[in-house]
Amino acid sequence: MAASVAAAAGRLRRAIRRSPSWRGLRALSSEAPPTQAAAVRDAFLSFFRDRHGHRLVPSASVRPRGDPSLLFVNAGMNQFKPIFLGTVDPRSEMAGFRRVANSQKCVRAGGRHSDLEDVGRDLSHHTFFEMLGNWAFGGEYFKEEACSMAWELLTQVYGIPEDRLWVSYFGGDPKAGLGPDLESRDVWLNLGVPASRVLSFGPEENFWEMGDTGPCGPCTEIHYDLAGGAGAPQLVELWNLVFMQHNREADGSLQPLPQRHVDTGMGLERLVAVLQGRLSTYDTDLFSPLLDAIHQGCGAPPYSGRVGAADEGRIDTAYRVVADHIRTLSVCIADGVSPGMSGAPLVLRRILRRAVRFSTEVLQAPPGFLGSLVPVVVETLGDAYPELRRSSAQIASLVSEDEAAFLASLQRGRRVIERTLKRLGPSDVFPAEVAWSLSLSGNLGLPLDLVELMLEEKGVQLDTAGLERLAQEEAQHRALQAEPVQEQGLRLNVHALGELQRRGVSPTDDSPKYSYSLRPGGGYEFGTCEAQVLQLYTEDGTAVASVGDGQRCGLLLDKTNFYAEQGGQASDRGYLVLVGQQDVLFPVARAQVCGGFILHEVAAPERLRVGDQVQLHVDEAWRLSCMEKHTAIHLLNWALREALGPGTEQRGSHLNPERLRFDVATQAPLTPEQLRAVEVTVQKAVGRDEAVYMEEVALARTAHVPGLRSLDEVYPDPVRVVSVGVPVAHALDPASRAALHTSVELCCGTHLLRTGAIGDLVIIGEHQLVKGITRLLAVTGEQAQQAREVGQSLAREVEAAAARLSQGSRHVAEAHRLSKDIGRLTDAVDTATMPQWQRQELQAALKALQRRANTAVRKLEMGQAAQKTQELLQRHTEGPLIVDTVSTESLSMLVKVVRQLCKQAPSTSVLLLSPQPLGQVLCACQVAQSATPAFTAEAWALAVCSHMGGKAWGSRVVAQGTGSTADLEAALSAARAYALNQL
Ligand code: ATP
Ligand code: MG
């Protein structure tokens, strides 16, 4: 019966997520106070503070601090994770938290909990939403209080009629040995909820786990019935109350937690919809100002709340997507996550681009529209989250800039698709290469799913197998770049070079690679470059007059703005178009220099001929990342000299958009102090946002400049000099001695114009390459900040572990857990992307902690074993046999007790059983020397454990095993019977 109700409710719930017909249902009377979103939020917080003594804490930033497993903060509990894990530093403020409430900014887009796909389609999921939550830590209160507080708030403060509320509880999981959570069920029944509205569900719905291991427990959910008695209930989940009471161990088993916690979360948007008598979160005052602004700004028909097939032209879907996404963008940018190239920034970039597309294509919004919505978001959310107000202007300008860039790409992308379609047969699939060249991983920066959508609209299928192959190739290429073993690529062979020289062809003019400038707003503007095709080569190096049909080829131009791989800087990538024909992209994968000629590696989807005029576009995000890394390498070089002395020599370096690598000649590995000092020196130069000067000068002028850095290389004449903070002329004046105090290098790389854009630099790895040469790996910018946060969070965990260790453990299980935690922490510190100096410090600290923890475990175990041994000896008079139960937490403890007993009573054979909380029984035994060989321990343990349906192992003298039984007495009798038979 219960199961069928549960199944029906499950179906209902699933159906409601996509229910197209929320309109037309009877809405709740609008008299219930409070109803305005701000008042609803306040009422929640004051209820928990004033009526139930909770401390209010601010929302954490949506950027997870030191938790690389998360892209965004996606629940109120994220910031309290250390409490649940027991790793909170006992001296920190958080360690004192008992009753806490807050309203947390949450983003569920990308990663494990992504609701991105639902947004726009349904009326209850957002990528950004506010989660109202209350917590009780360390058993401050538990199920009864948590449920009654929730019920009191919903029905008395918010005035929601009781008969519209349904609840669910955990119905148990026999496979995991978990019984139903009858406590929660009874709490609801006692609160007066009729049994017909109290449903039970399995672990999928009502058992909450933080990850593969760690705290977990049953949850109980409160749902609201939108139908309100008119027909079948239509439930929407309002509030989830989680009761953390187990720990999922690494071996998959569940152990009771030493401390129990309450963790709840309720979506503000859904609650407000209920209180405003609406059937959709979009019809509340959290969204209506945005929907109005969209209507005003686009001139589209007004929002009318339709979903699914009823939403003709997807107008209402577009309204919802744009309103949702601009909130997410604003909140994320205010918290320091901006649209970018990987991880959370990439997710944000996709969100922005999705919003642009819906606003321009469906709602016909004018360019720059999205940025104009930012003030509306700030108006609705700025009081609750003041950081939005502070960065309002910056958010708007970032959104507008990215919107403009995307619109330009989109327009080009559309033309490319149109043109490609013209040459496809009716049953052809869309070529993967073209889709790839349009995508984020290719050139135009259009998300692949968007390209697919654009094709879907045209009724064309994409060559997905081909696309997968390209994605794999790219992944391989990236892996190679991360540890660059030079892959060959297309090159000019001697014959080709000889032929060019014979024809008197001039080397490629690549000076346009340096033509970029800094906009007043801080962004870089890269020029394009027009050039003429001088020669084309097939993959095997044969010179040809034309290429096409998707052919990969080498392309020689009279000039280029592409940076060809040299001086340790990765090659540029990008695309070119034929002048006068903007709608075919020729992707350029890389550029290499051979004898002064720059060969571009190009894929030619259509005809390309010698003599053609082309326009070149460099992938700007890629290039900018290279520039940041290259200037960072110069600062690193200089900082190393500052830290290690003037004789410190660079031995090589390499950089790509992801990271940089620097080899330096050293007598000994760098100490943590030296590593740290190097980072501080770089950080200071970055903080000063110094100008970077670059100038070409006669090589002779650079000959006798003290401190000037150059590699053991042949430099061209004239040569480029890159100088940080001082103009080149001044730096080269030997009397100035400027190069002794700042970075001045001979270098042909492309550099930032100011150092500030580096953001930060963290050395994340250091090892001896060969004797006398140390290789450093470093990251910059956002990645560097993340590395620091990971480092800080691990340092806090180490401190917390040290504090736990100092407090001492009274129980073996607790000491064991601590020892295991230190082991896990050591693994995390060994492999995390974090500052290397901090890794070395933490590794040393953890080594000492691990030793202490192991000693503590041993001592406790010995003490406890001795005590249990004494108890058992007192219970049993001297005889040939002791068969009994004893409580221990682990098999190793049980073995210790058995061994001590036998030591003290050498002529006695001993078998002990130890029942565990979840029905498992541990077994250990030892037979007296005098009883062997007829009687063996292994056979004894096997007899008893197979009686309990388990297994055993060991030797003739000592053995152990496990089984599972509820009838211990029967197991003990079996053990005795077996032994008496043998003795
Ligand atoms: P659903 O099943 O509706 O997706 P959930 O099980 O993912 O919800 P929880 O992770 O338990 O939700 O989050 C707690 C509360 O946060 C939910 O009860 C709901 O009120 C709210 N919530 C969850 N996801 C969203 C979302 N994407 N948009 C708005 N509110 C949400
Ligand atoms: Mg969900």
Side-chain angles (χ1 to χ4, degrees):
M1 172 64 192
S4 65
V5 174
R11 276 198 302 278
L12 269 178
R13 199 182 312 172
R14 276 189 293 280
I16 205 160
R17 294 233 186 112
R18 316 223 178 272
S19 165
S21 54
W22 277 32
R23 313 229 111 219
L25 295 166
R26 187 167 68 81
L28 176 72
S29 114
S30 58
E31 286 155 26
T35 56
Q36 292 296 100
V40 173
R41 193 192 291 113
D42 285 347
F44 180 92
L45 297 174
S46 18
F47 170 81
F48 281 103
R49 183 190 55 205
D50 302 339
R51 278 208 205 174
H52 296 287
H54 287 60
R55 165 180 184 153
L56 301 188
V57 300
S59 169
S61 150
V62 294
R63 193 154 76 96
R65 300 268 160 203
D67 187 349
S69 70
L70 281 178
L71 279 173
F72 298 100
V73 162
N74 59 20
M77 57 75 59
N78 290 174
Q79 65 169 318
F80 304 118
K81 223 165 136 178
I83 304 188
F84 299 129
L85 291 171
T87 57
V88 63
D89 186 336
R91 291 158 303 182
S92 66
E93 191 185 15
M94 194 183 274
F97 285 0
R98 289 292 169 268
R99 294 172 179 231
V100 172
N102 87 349
S103 158
Q104 172 67 47
K105 297 175 284 184
C106 296
V107 174
R108 292 194 176 176
R112 231 172 96 132
H113 286 281
S114 183
D115 289 336
L116 187 55
E117 293 306 312
D118 286 329
V119 170
R121 295 180 206 231
D122 80 3
L123 301 171
S124 62
H125 283 90
H126 302 287
T127 52
F128 163 75
F129 67 98
E130 297 174 66
M131 194 186 281
L132 303 168
N134 63 295
W135 288 270
F137 298 118
E140 173 73 14
Y141 58 77
F142 210 47
K143 299 181 182 175
E144 189 174 346
E145 298 89 332
C147 295
S148 2
M149 285 177 200
W151 196 253
E152 180 189 352
L153 176 63
L154 293 181
T155 60
Q156 291 175 27
V157 178
Y158 291 134
I160 300 177
E162 295 191 3
D163 62 4
R164 302 285 290 258
L165 296 174
W166 292 58
V167 297
S168 67
Y169 68 94
F170 179 51
D173 181 10
K175 263 191 277 163
L178 289 171
D181 180 15
L182 300 179
E183 275 176 276
S184 293
R185 181 199 63 183
D186 293 342
V187 171
W188 292 122
L189 295 175
N190 289 338
L191 283 168
V193 188
S196 57
R197 293 208 310 276
V198 180
L199 310 176
S200 74
F201 293 93
E204 277 281 301
E205 297 273 352
N206 280 79
F207 194 84
W208 193 91
E209 308 220 16
M210 188 149 74
D212 297 337
T213 57
C216 51
C219 59
T220 181
E221 293 175 345
I222 307 177
H223 295 250
Y224 180 78
D225 175 14
L226 293 160
Q234 295 215 8
L235 303 181
V236 63
E237 178 182 330
L238 263 193
W239 203 344
N240 192 353
L241 286 63
V242 181
F243 304 119
M244 228 74 89
Q245 58 187 102
H246 305 287
N247 193 59
R248 175 77 68 189
E249 301 287 320
D251 63 4
S253 66
L254 287 170
Q255 295 291 335
L257 270 184
Q259 293 208 304
R260 305 193 299 181
H261 316 278
V262 173
D263 158 29
T264 88
M266 166 159 64
L268 173 74
E269 296 74 8
R270 294 185 190 179
L271 175 64
V272 171
V274 165
L275 298 180
Q276 295 182 357
R278 306 297 183 182
L279 301 161
S280 150
T281 49
Y282 292 93
D283 296 331
T284 65
D285 63 330
L286 283 166
F287 283 91
S288 44
L290 271 170
L291 298 174
D292 286 347
I294 296 171
H295 175 53
Q296 301 283 321
C298 300
Y303 176 71
S304 63
R306 290 161 308 172
V307 287
D311 181 20
E312 235 172 87
R314 300 207 295 164
I315 299 274
D316 290 338
T317 303
Y319 265 101
R320 289 188 289 266
V321 167
V322 173
D324 173 273
H325 287 10
I326 192 65
R327 279 170 30 114
T328 306
L329 283 160
S330 304
V331 167
C332 287
I333 295 173
D335 276 350
V337 192
S338 306
M341 295 296 278
S342 62
L346 181 61
V347 173
L348 214 57
R349 193 175 181 200
R350 294 211 168 107
I351 289 179
L352 186 136
R353 298 188 159 200
R354 197 161 176 247
V356 172
R357 194 159 172 261
F358 272 102
S359 69
T360 54
E361 293 185 2
V362 182
L363 300 172
Q364 313 298 330
F369 169 68
L370 220 48
S372 76
L373 292 176
V374 173
V376 189
V377 177
V378 173
E379 215 28 64
T380 51
L381 293 174
D383 285 341
Y385 309 104
E387 57 278 13
L388 277 168
R389 204 148 261 149
R390 282 196 295 274
S391 32
S392 167
Q394 185 213 352
I395 302 170
S397 88
L398 247 173
V399 168
S400 299
E401 248 178 50
D402 219 277
E403 176 184 338
F406 180 56
L407 283 176
S409 298
L410 203 58
Q411 202 175 20
R412 176 156 284 171
R414 258 190 234 116
R415 285 208 299 250
V416 170
I417 290 180
E418 285 296 336
R419 185 180 170 94
T420 311
L421 288 181
K422 271 192 207 137
R423 53 183 182 84
L424 286 188
S427 56
D428 287 350
V429 289
F430 194 85
E433 287 75 14
V434 180
W436 188 252
S437 74
L438 296 174
S439 82
L440 269 181
S441 321
N443 292 304
L444 274 195
L446 303 179
L448 262 181
D449 50 351
L450 181 60
V451 176
E452 261 177 283
L453 217 71
M454 289 161 87
L455 292 175
E456 204 181 294
E457 280 163 12
K458 304 262 176 209
V460 192
Q461 264 211 329
L462 179 61
D463 171 11
T464 42
L467 209 58
E468 232 158 72
R469 182 177 38 83
L470 289 172
Q472 257 173 16
E473 278 173 19
E474 155 112 353
Q476 275 167 5
H477 186 67
R478 281 202 171 223
L480 276 178
Q481 291 244 325
E483 267 314 318
V485 189
Q486 260 322 313
E487 138 216 41
Q488 260 294 321
L490 291 185
R491 291 203 166 260
L492 286 176
N493 59 32
V494 280
H495 311 292
L497 275 173
E499 173 64 15
L500 288 170
Q501 277 149 9
R502 197 186 54 73
R503 275 166 46 198
V505 179
S506 318
T508 316
D509 168 15
D510 65 347
S511 57
K513 70 186 176 192
Y514 296 124
S515 67
Y516 49 89
S517 57
L518 203 48
R519 282 195 226 107
Y524 278 80
E525 191 156 334
F526 293 88
T528 55
C529 171
E530 274 194 20
Q532 190 180 29
V533 178
L534 296 185
Q535 189 61 63
L536 291 158
Y537 297 92
T538 59
E539 281 190 84
D540 63 8
T542 316
V544 287
S546 82
V547 291
D549 294 330
Q551 216 175 337
R552 201 167 80 111
C553 64
L555 164 70
L556 201 63
L557 299 165
D558 58 344
K559 57 176 182 296
T560 183
N561 57 349
F562 274 63
Y563 185 87
E565 165 110 35
Q566 59 194 307
Q569 178 176 333
S571 154
D572 275 340
R573 61 177 203 182
Y575 64 93
L576 55 89
V577 291
L578 284 164
V579 170
Q581 186 194 304
Q582 298 285 314
D583 45 8
V584 182
L585 302 186
F586 295 77
V588 182
R590 62 197 291 185
Q592 296 199 70
V593 59
C594 303
F597 296 105
I598 292 181
L599 195 68
H600 302 78
E601 197 175 305
V602 175
E606 294 201 10
R607 195 61 38 208
L608 186 63
R609 295 180 180 83
V610 170
D612 280 345
Q613 285 294 121
V614 296
Q615 193 181 51
L616 296 151
H617 298 262
V618 165
D619 182 333
E620 295 178 2
W622 175 280
R623 160 69 85 82
L624 190 59
S625 292
C626 287
M627 285 167 41
E628 284 165 16
K629 302 279 184 310
H630 206 151
T631 305
I633 281 198
H634 282 211
L635 292 180
L636 180 62
N637 189 358
W638 165 67
L640 280 163
R641 190 183 52 181
E642 294 278 298
L644 307 181
T648 311
E649 289 295 336
Q650 171 176 1
R651 283 286 177 263
S653 68
H654 191 271
L655 69 100
N656 62 32
E658 309 280 326
R659 56 117 206 78
L660 61 90
R661 194 189 76 195
F662 191 88
D663 299 337
V664 58
T666 52
Q667 302 304 325
L670 274 72
T671 64
E673 294 72 32
Q674 286 170 327
L675 287 167
R676 199 171 181 169
V678 167
E679 281 182 14
V680 170
T681 308
V682 174
Q683 262 182 330
K684 282 190 185 154
V686 171
R688 288 193 293 271
D689 192 22
E690 289 177 301
V692 181
Y693 297 92
M694 282 162 273
E695 209 175 295
E696 232 169 47
V697 302
L699 190 57
R701 274 185 69 195
T702 67
H704 302 291
V705 181
L708 177 102
R709 313 296 280 177
S710 62
L711 270 177
D712 201 10
E713 255 181 28
V714 186
Y715 284 95
D717 191 8
V719 67
R720 268 174 85 81
V721 177
V722 180
S723 162
V724 177
V726 277
V728 172
H730 181 67
L732 291 186
D733 176 1
S736 78
R737 303 177 66 77
L740 290 170
H741 305 293
T742 184
S743 157
V744 184
E745 290 196 35
L746 302 185
C747 176
C748 63
T750 55
H751 283 268
L752 294 174
L753 300 175
R754 301 202 74 92
T755 58
I758 295 170
D760 193 359
L761 176 135
V762 169
I763 298 171
I764 53 163
E766 186 230 17
H767 65 270
Q768 293 299 110
L769 200 57
V770 290
K771 194 167 162 34
I773 298 184
T774 297
R775 170 162 289 185
L776 301 174
L777 296 178
V779 290
T780 58
E782 173 99 2
Q783 282 171 298
Q785 266 175 22
Q786 268 172 14
R788 279 194 204 289
E789 281 162 15
V790 168
Q792 277 156 15
S793 128
L794 285 169
R796 276 196 298 274
E797 285 193 43
V798 173
E799 269 184 45
R804 278 164 69 196
L805 193 58
S806 301
Q807 281 181 343
S809 309
R810 256 167 298 141
H811 303 292
V812 178
E814 200 182 325
H816 256 302
R817 196 170 307 123
L818 182 55
S819 161
K820 268 200 216 155
D821 284 351
I822 293 173
R824 267 199 292 275
L825 205 48
T826 305
D827 290 344
V829 166
D830 287 348
T831 55
T833 299
M834 64 182 286
Q836 182 66 14
W837 63 263
Q838 198 171 24
R839 186 192 327 276
Q840 293 176 354
E841 285 183 3
L842 295 185
Q843 279 168 335
L846 281 166
K847 212 167 148 185
L849 288 181
Q850 188 74 69
R851 252 198 318 265
R852 279 173 56 201
N854 294 349
T855 312
V857 169
R858 255 199 321 275
K859 270 196 189 147
L860 277 169
E861 282 191 347
M862 293 311 283
Q864 218 182 69
Q867 190 196 342
K868 292 195 192 289
T869 306
Q870 285 321 311
E871 285 166 15
L872 283 161
L873 280 175
Q874 277 162 17
R875 270 220 300 277
H876 295 269
T877 50
E878 186 110 359
L881 200 58
I882 295 181
V883 171
D884 205 342
T885 61
V886 61
S887 78
T888 61
E889 277 107 1
S890 69
L891 205 47
S892 74
M893 260 300 290
L894 193 63
V895 172
K896 280 201 177 74
V897 179
V898 167
R899 284 187 162 267
Q900 287 200 13
L901 257 178
C902 287
K903 205 165 161 199
Q904 297 196 24
S907 54
T908 309
S909 296
V910 180
L911 183 142
L912 298 177
L913 297 179
S914 174
Q916 302 298 299
L918 295 169
Q920 201 196 25
V921 178
L922 309 178
C923 166
C925 65
Q926 179 167 347
V927 295
Q929 203 69 41
S930 52
T932 54
F935 181 23
T936 77
E938 191 184 8
W940 195 12
L942 199 62
V944 178
C945 291
S946 47
H947 173 90
M948 300 188 294
K951 54 187 190 311
W953 59 96
S955 67
R956 282 186 307 148
V957 183
V958 230
Q960 48 193 294
T962 58
S964 185
T965 180
D967 189 355
L968 268 183
E969 272 316 315
L972 290 171
S973 304
R976 277 189 210 102
Y978 182 92
L980 290 173
N981 211 6
Q982 304 290 319
L983 280 169

